[in-house]
């Protein structure tokens, strides 16, 4: 099954030249895909369409077999790490542990036990080398450390599809290396990954597909 299926997708703001036009794309389960492109090429718009933050003018998007015209993400195991997700909130009083737990909160459906939550939180932080920061306030961490925590937060919920938006922006070299290693490991375990970046893609050795957004299209 395709993790992401896009058919004849077009989008443009009213009165403007279309940003994306007749895009057709399939990302299979287990793919590790990097999407690049210059500023204004449409890669960020494409991501917003996939995440349901924008609605297509034409065409359709399916995620994990569900037509997203319904607008419902309920039950879909999708993890999303936005760019600089904690930036500007340095005074946020929550600890790393508390931030991690918010990713496991389930207002609907079966909730995880406290024991299972603790296990997942510690395991995910350990994979990212952040277990020693469990009781630290998130605002005390560097940008790279914060980004590692936010990735660990998403991975703790065991998604089937992981989407990352410019995860290396403002991140130190050690955190980038940790990111590369964990993404390669998760890909080998079967996780489907879509990452948007304009940085150096050669450092992400585990990726098996490279896409480029340009002139209203997305090509491989």
């Amino acid at each position: 099954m395709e993790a992401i299926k896009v058919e004849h997708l077009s989008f443009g703001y009213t009165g403007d030249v279309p940003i994306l036009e007749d895009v057709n794309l399939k990302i299979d389960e287990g793919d590790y895909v990097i999407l690049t492109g210059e500023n204004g090429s449409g890669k960020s718009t494409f991501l917003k369409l996939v995440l349901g933050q924008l609605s297509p003018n034409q065409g359709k998007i399916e995620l994990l077999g569900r037509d997203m015209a319904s607008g419902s993400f309920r039950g879909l195991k999708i993890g999303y790490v936005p760019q600089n997700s904690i930036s500007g909130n340095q005074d946020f009083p929550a600890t790393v542990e508390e931030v991690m737990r918010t990713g496991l909160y389930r207002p609907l459906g079966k909730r995880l036990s406290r024991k299972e939550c603790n296990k997942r939180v510690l395991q995910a932080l350990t994979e990212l080398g952040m277990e020693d920061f469990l009781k630290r306030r998130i605002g005390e961490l560097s940008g790279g450390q914060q980004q590692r925590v936010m990735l660990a937060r998403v991975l703790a919920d065991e998604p089937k599809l992981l989407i990352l938006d410019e995860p290396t922006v403002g991140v130190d070299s050690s955190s980038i290396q940790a990111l590369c290693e964990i993404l390669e490991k998760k890909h080998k375990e079967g996780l489907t990954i879509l990452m948007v970046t304009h940085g150096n893609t050669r450092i992400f050795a585990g990726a098996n597909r490279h896409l480029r957004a340009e002139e209203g299209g997305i090509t491989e």
Side-chain angles (χ1 to χ4, degrees):
M1 184 176 73
E2 296 95 354
I4 301 176
K5 184 178 180 181
V6 176
E7 294 183 327
H8 304 293
L9 177 69
S10 295
F11 178 83
Y13 296 99
T14 304
D16 290 342
V17 175
I19 299 171
L20 295 170
E21 192 166 12
D22 198 30
V23 173
N24 293 279
L25 174 65
K26 292 181 181 179
I27 295 176
D28 293 328
E29 287 189 341
D31 275 346
Y32 178 0
V33 181
I34 295 180
L35 173 60
T36 61
E38 302 296 331
N39 289 335
S41 63
K43 63 183 188 298
S44 294
T45 298
F46 175 74
L47 204 59
K48 290 178 180 179
L49 287 161
V50 168
L51 293 167
Q53 296 172 0
L54 294 172
S55 298
N57 297 144
Q58 294 182 7
K60 73 173 186 175
I61 299 171
E62 292 183 5
L63 298 182
L64 300 173
R66 182 181 299 177
D67 188 341
M68 298 316 299
S70 66
S72 174
F73 284 79
R74 183 178 176 182
L76 291 180
K77 298 284 286 181
I78 298 174
Y80 171 52
V81 182
Q83 180 180 337
N84 296 328
S85 48
I86 294 291
S87 179
N89 294 285
Q90 296 301 102
D91 296 327
F92 194 60
T95 65
V96 167
E97 181 178 20
E98 290 167 339
V99 169
M100 288 289 295
R101 286 183 177 279
T102 63
L104 295 172
Y105 175 66
R106 295 173 179 174
L108 300 172
K110 186 178 180 180
R111 297 187 182 185
L112 298 175
S113 68
R114 185 176 182 84
K115 180 179 180 181
E116 180 64 17
C117 281
N118 291 340
K119 176 184 175 182
R120 291 197 189 190
V121 165
L122 187 58
Q123 180 178 336
L125 286 174
T126 300
E127 285 187 310
L128 271 297
M130 294 299 294
E131 67 275 18
D132 292 339
F133 295 83
L134 184 68
K135 300 298 182 179
R136 292 275 296 276
R137 290 198 175 194
I138 190 74
E140 297 173 354
L141 275 55
S142 70
Q145 290 169 337
Q146 290 176 358
Q147 195 72 341
R148 277 197 256 179
V149 170
M150 298 312 291
L151 176 57
R153 175 181 176 274
V154 167
L155 292 177
D157 200 31
E158 300 177 353
K160 291 184 177 180
L161 170 62
L162 174 64
I163 299 174
L164 306 102
D165 184 13
E166 302 284 6
T168 63
V169 172
V171 175
D172 57 274
S173 59
S174 62
S175 292
I176 291 175
Q177 182 61 34
L179 173 67
C180 294
E181 291 174 359
I182 191 64
L183 292 181
E184 185 171 4
K185 177 177 181 289
K186 290 299 178 181
H187 174 230
K188 289 179 179 178
E189 292 174 359
L191 178 61
T192 307
I193 302 170
L194 170 61
M195 180 172 64
V196 172
T197 183
H198 68 270
N200 179 9
T201 61
R202 288 178 294 179
I203 60 175
F204 295 98
N208 68 307
R209 295 180 63 188
H210 290 76
L211 307 177
R212 184 169 182 80
E214 57 184 349
E215 297 181 354
I218 296 178
T219 56
E220 189 155 5

